Amino acid sequence: GRSSTMVTALATKSVIRSTRVSRSRAAAAPAATRGAAAGLARGRRHQLSRNVAPNAASEADVETTPIEKSSTSFDPVMDIDAVMKILPHRYPFLLVDRVVQYEQGQQAVGLKNVTINDNFFTGHFPQRPIMPGVLIVEALAQVGGIAMMDPDDPKENFFFGGIDGCKFRKPVVPGDTLMLKVALKKMNKRFGVAKMEAKAFVGEDLVCEAELTLYMGN
């Protein structure tokens, strides 16, 4: 009887010890998990700070360009003197200030700075100055003439033969810079006839487009 009682007591002590150990492990596990999670969070914060800091510094280093220095200036391929050697037009009907892109017999891009001093604004219109649409088309034709004529031997004049599909999209007003692009589509040198695609822009806005036919002659 005594031996069985001792066995029972030893078994009871073993169960109590195993229960205490399992409880201590169970209590330690969440603490370890919390420690690991905190370590991951610290690592992520450190990684984010390393990633964000250079970007923030680079943004801080970027200086905003002053508005007085932000306009675009186009270097002339042909200045006004070169333009006047090709075109026979003179004040008040010379409507191209410079040519900024040019491929003889292919295309040309010119510009006109529109100012309140242009004489047509006196009557078109006194209360709301708008560049006449027909003069935008005339300016396009002058750039077309530059594209089709030989700049080294500009002996002939050119004349309107037709205006097709002309559309005016937006008004052109004082202060605008009118960009005039003309590309030759067909050129019959024998008869001196050229068809060209013409577009006028102010900034990114298309203000006028048309297909022009020009005749070369004396």
Side-chain angles (χ1 to χ4, degrees):
R2 182 180 296 177
S3 61
S4 63
T5 302
M6 291 177 65
V7 169
T8 302
L10 289 172
T12 302
K13 289 180 180 179
S14 177
V15 170
I16 291 172
R17 280 198 301 270
S18 64
T19 302
R20 287 175 178 172
V21 169
S22 63
R23 285 179 179 173
S24 64
R25 287 177 179 172
T33 303
R34 288 195 297 271
L40 286 172
R42 285 194 298 272
R44 286 174 183 167
R45 285 197 296 270
H46 180 62
Q47 183 66 31
L48 285 172
S49 66
R50 286 193 302 173
N51 291 340
V52 171
N55 292 336
S58 62
E59 290 177 2
D61 291 340
V62 174
E63 295 183 1
T64 303
T65 302
I67 192 168
E68 68 271 14
K69 297 181 180 180
S70 61
S71 63
T72 302
S73 179
F74 298 97
D75 293 331
V77 175
M78 296 183 187
D79 61 15
I80 189 61
D81 293 325
V83 168
M84 293 175 70
K85 289 178 181 178
I86 299 174
L87 296 180
H89 307 73
R90 294 296 181 266
Y91 176 85
F93 275 96
L94 179 56
L95 300 175
V96 182
D97 292 331
R98 65 174 54 174
V99 174
V100 297
Q101 192 177 82
Y102 175 74
E103 293 179 61
Q104 200 274 325
Q106 299 293 323
Q107 68 168 350
V109 178
L111 70 81
K112 172 175 173 50
N113 291 308
V114 182
T115 79
I116 194 62
N117 290 321
D118 285 309
N119 70 325
F120 45 78
F121 285 130
T122 303
H124 196 279
F125 301 99
Q127 301 304 317
R128 190 188 176 195
I130 296 175
M131 184 175 182
V134 292
L135 293 184
I136 299 175
V137 177
E138 170 65 25
L140 287 166
Q142 292 181 16
V143 174
I146 291 171
M148 68 187 290
M149 296 177 70
D150 184 353
D152 297 323
D153 190 24
K155 293 181 179 179
E156 297 181 318
N157 289 330
F158 57 92
F159 306 93
F160 265 125
I163 305 170
D164 297 304
C166 185
K167 293 184 175 71
F168 300 102
R169 305 290 187 183
K170 281 189 171 184
V172 177
V173 298
D176 286 342
T177 297
L178 192 60
M179 301 299 296
L180 309 155
K181 180 175 182 178
V182 180
L184 272 72
K185 296 302 181 184
K186 294 180 181 179
M187 179 69 181
N188 188 323
K189 293 184 178 180
R190 180 180 178 184
F191 296 101
V193 180
K195 285 190 175 292
M196 50 193 69
E197 181 183 81
K199 293 183 178 181
F201 296 85
V202 173
E204 296 182 356
D205 295 329
L206 177 65
V207 297
C208 177
E209 60 182 325
E211 183 180 278
L212 308 179
T213 302
L214 299 183
Y215 291 114
M216 296 180 68
N218 295 319

